Amino acid sequence: MIDKDDCAKIGIIAKPHGVNGEVVVRADVGFTSDDLCYEFLLVEIDGGLVPFYVEEVRTKNTEEVLVKFEFINNQDDTRRLAGKEVFICREWLETEEGELEDVPTGMLIGYTAIDQNHGTLGKIEDIDEQVGANPLFIIGRNGEELLVPITDDFILSVDDQNRTITFNLPEGLIDMND
C-alpha cells in the first residue's frame, strides 16, 4: 500500500473529456501541466491511493492536461473519477543520489521553513502565484503569514528527509511582513 505521507497532491481530475475515456487533470497551485506527466498517477479513491497507468498525456494549457488511463474507456468510467485528487510519489522525482531534481514548488507545501539567521520561521502553508507577480511562499508564522519570494537566490538547501527548507533571506524581509 502506498503511504500518502510519501506523496504529494498535484492536482484534481476536473472532468471527463470526450467519449473515449480521457479526463482533464487540473494542476494545483505550485504545479504546472509539465508536472502531471508521469507513467503512473495515483488517484485517491475511498481514502486510498490507487495507481493508474497513463496511456497518453496531452497538454491542454499551462494548468491542465488530458490524460487517458489504461482500462478507463468510456464516459461512465471517467465520471466516477471526476473530482478525485491526484498524487505522485516523492521518490519518482529522486535522482540516483537520492536528491530531488527540479522539484515543483507545490511539493514544498508542508515543509518547515528555516532562515539561517532567524531560525525556524514556520510551515510553508501555500503558494501565491498571482498573475503578473513573482510567486511567493506563504509561511505560517505566529498566527500571521510571512511572504517569501520563490527564488533560488534565497534557498540554501532542501532536506526532503526532514521536510525542511533553509533560506538565507535578505536583511529586513522578515521584519517587512510584521
Side-chain angles (χ1 to χ4, degrees):
M1 181 156 194
I2 300 168
D3 189 348
K4 198 171 178 179
D5 290 337
D6 296 332
C7 300
K9 180 177 173 274
I10 62 168
I12 189 165
I13 297 176
K15 61 184 178 181
H17 179 80
V19 296
N20 296 320
E22 277 187 313
V23 293
V24 175
V25 178
R26 184 170 301 130
D28 279 354
V29 171
F31 296 94
T32 66
S33 60
D34 293 337
D35 300 321
L36 301 173
C37 299
Y38 291 93
E39 185 176 0
F40 288 91
L41 291 176
L42 305 169
V43 179
E44 185 170 28
I45 298 174
D46 296 331
L49 297 180
V50 179
F52 281 83
Y53 177 74
V54 176
E55 285 183 0
E56 182 181 357
V57 175
R58 297 184 295 139
T59 301
K60 184 175 180 189
N61 56 48
T62 58
E63 298 171 353
E64 296 177 323
V65 294
L66 303 175
V67 177
K68 171 66 177 83
F69 292 119
E70 185 176 46
F71 304 121
I72 303 296
N73 298 312
N74 58 55
Q75 286 182 318
D76 290 336
D77 293 340
T78 58
R79 279 191 200 106
R80 285 191 278 269
L81 293 177
K84 304 289 187 197
E85 295 180 338
V86 178
F87 294 78
I88 58 169
C89 285
R90 298 186 59 73
E91 69 183 32
W92 297 350
L93 300 173
E94 290 180 4
T95 64
E96 289 180 19
E97 295 81 35
E99 301 284 322
L100 289 184
E101 188 173 277
D102 298 326
V103 178
T105 54
M107 296 286 284
L108 300 174
I109 293 174
Y111 277 42
T112 299
I114 301 168
D115 179 69
Q116 72 174 0
N117 297 314
H118 293 89
T120 300
L121 302 173
K123 289 224 184 270
I124 298 174
E125 296 177 344
D126 205 352
I127 294 172
D128 183 350
E129 290 185 335
Q130 295 180 8
V131 176
N134 292 329
L136 302 167
F137 285 119
I138 300 174
I139 300 170
R141 182 168 195 244
N142 303 328
E144 304 272 322
E145 289 183 346
L146 173 64
L147 304 176
V148 174
I150 299 174
T151 174
D152 290 339
D153 296 338
F154 296 166
I155 299 172
L156 292 177
S157 65
V158 177
D159 181 345
D160 296 293
Q161 188 167 7
N162 293 311
R163 297 180 56 84
T164 60
I165 180 169
T166 303
F167 294 94
N168 179 16
L169 298 176
E171 191 67 37
L173 181 71
I174 295 173
D175 300 331
M176 200 167 75
N177 284 273
D178 292 337

